[in-house]
Every structure is written in C-alpha cells, then in structure tokens.
Amino acid sequence: YIFQNTFGNALEEFDPMTGLTLSDVRHAVRNSMGTRPSLFLPEMAFELLVKRQIGLLRDLCLRVVDLSYDELANTISVACARHFERFDNLKNEAMTAGIN
C-alpha cells in the first residue's frame, strides 16, 4: 500500500522539471563543454542537472521510509502480542531486533 498508493501517487504528481528552466540547461551544457562545441550532451552537465532534480525527491523518499518503518514496527508488535505472550524475554528481543 505504501509503495503503490502513497509513493506511486506522489511520483505521478511530481513534476521532474520543477525549478529547472531552459536557461539552466543551456548554462550547464555550455559550462561543461568548454571552448569546443560538442555533438553530444556532456555527461557532466547531465549529472549536475539530474542530481539537483533527484534532490527534490529526498523529502518524499524519507517520508516513505518513515511510513515503512512505522508499518514494520506495528506489524512486529501485533505479531509479538499474539505469538509471544508467554515468552516475555523473547517478545522483548523480537521487538528490539525488529525495530532497531
């Protein structure tokens, strides 16, 4: 659910060109080519532009990690409550191992 709905919908709504203008692309290409014109897009310009755009996804990815962690902790606590009722030490160790 987290990856398909939450993360998937957020990725579909994400505009990859946010904060990226045509002049930014031109400047990056010109700066990476140097004095000689090039037939292909220089890799350095592409990396600079892509790294900046990937940085925009950081908050979304961190939110998905937090949601996944919370779901895992909830699943472990439910499983431990049902199956490890008689074994307190085992229950505590399973909770600690699953959450850390």
Side-chain angles (χ1 to χ4, degrees), residues 17-54:
M17 298 301 286
T18 300
L20 189 64
T21 63
L22 187 57
S23 65
D24 291 337
V25 175
R26 286 183 183 152
H27 288 300
V29 171
R30 285 184 188 151
N31 289 340
S32 66
M33 284 192 314
T35 57
R36 297 184 338 206
S38 178
L39 179 61
F40 299 105
L41 178 68
E43 188 175 319
M44 185 178 189
F46 178 73
E47 284 181 14
L48 289 173
L49 295 172
V50 168
K51 283 181 183 179
R52 184 168 53 169
Q53 294 309 104
I54 288 175

Side-chain angles (χ1 to χ4, degrees), residues 76 80 84 88-100:
I76 289 172
C80 286
F84 298 144
D88 289 332
N89 289 338
L90 181 60
K91 178 181 176 181
N92 292 335
E93 289 297 321
M95 291 287 289
T96 303
I99 293 176
N100 292 333

